[in-house]
């Protein structure tokens, strides 16, 4: 498979995972709203745009070749910072948050929640794929 197709598949995977995570955070946020606010229609498009932007960032950062432990920690740290900045700008522009320290802190926690959700789903799917590959290899090379 070509490098472009691999990157496109990775982008689509991250877009689905991240956009789902953002949707969950928004749904929880609106559900906890004391005034009973419903999700405005425009918010759905804002969620898709946020998912698109953060998926592009994720695909770029996580398409790196094998790194040592320090390099990997640095990439994940910078990745989170770039996602955080992107979502603070988007959140402020969309009116999801106030552009102040409290708003930025709240958005950082939300980004962290989406980050954990996304990587947990990715981990579970990777483990399942590895198990399936190992089963096929055992079947093929029975001893």
């Amino acid at each position: 498979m070509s490098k472009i197709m691999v990157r496109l598949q990775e982008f689509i995977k991250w877009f689905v995972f991240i956009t789902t995570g953002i949707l969950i955070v928004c749904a929880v946020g609106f559900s906890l709203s004391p005034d009973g606010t419903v999700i405005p229609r425009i918010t759905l498009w804002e969620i898709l745009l946020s998912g698109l932007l953060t998926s592009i960032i994720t695909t770029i950062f996580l398409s790196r070749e094998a790194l040592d432990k320090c390099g990997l920690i640095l990439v994940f740290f910078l990745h989170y910072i770039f996602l955080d900045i992107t979502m603070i700008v988007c959140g402020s522009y969309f009116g999801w948050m106030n552009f102040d320290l409290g708003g930025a802190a709240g958005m950082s926690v939300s980004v962290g929640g989406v980050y954990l959700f996304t990587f947990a789903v990715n981990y579970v799917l990777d483990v399942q794929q590895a198990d399936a590959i190992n089963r096929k290899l055992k079947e093929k090379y029975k001893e």
Side-chain angles (χ1 to χ4, degrees):
M1 193 177 329
S2 74
K3 251 186 170 177
I4 293 173
M5 287 305 294
V6 170
R7 293 276 161 82
L8 182 59
Q9 285 180 337
E10 284 293 304
F11 169 77
I12 291 168
K13 174 185 78 171
W14 290 121
F15 178 76
V16 170
F17 293 173
I18 292 169
T19 304
T20 302
I22 295 170
L23 181 60
I24 290 168
V25 166
C26 286
V28 168
F30 277 100
S31 296
L32 297 176
S33 174
D35 60 359
T37 305
V38 296
I39 298 176
R41 272 186 266 211
I42 190 68
T43 302
L44 298 175
W45 290 106
E46 293 165 349
I47 290 169
L48 289 172
L49 179 59
S50 299
L52 176 73
L53 294 173
T54 53
S55 297
I56 290 168
I57 291 168
T58 299
T59 302
I60 291 168
F61 269 91
L62 301 185
S63 64
R64 306 278 179 234
E65 297 302 319
L67 298 169
D68 64 358
K69 187 176 181 179
C70 288
L72 195 59
I73 290 170
L74 180 63
V75 165
F76 277 105
F77 177 74
L78 291 174
H79 177 230
Y80 178 78
I81 296 299
F82 271 78
L83 292 177
D84 218 11
I85 291 168
T86 301
M87 287 308 300
I88 288 170
V89 170
C90 286
S92 179
Y93 181 77
F94 297 150
W96 293 356
M97 56 167 271
N98 295 324
F99 193 73
D100 58 15
L101 189 58
M107 185 58 76
S108 293
V109 169
S110 295
V111 169
V114 172
Y115 205 84
L116 290 174
F117 168 80
T118 300
F119 282 93
V121 169
N122 189 57
Y123 175 78
V124 167
L125 293 177
D126 279 353
V127 167
Q128 288 177 348
Q129 184 179 22
D131 288 344
I133 290 170
N134 286 334
R135 271 194 310 276
K136 297 269 185 193
L137 287 171
K138 284 180 183 177
E139 289 171 10
K140 184 174 181 176
Y141 298 107
K142 281 188 179 179
E143 295 180 63

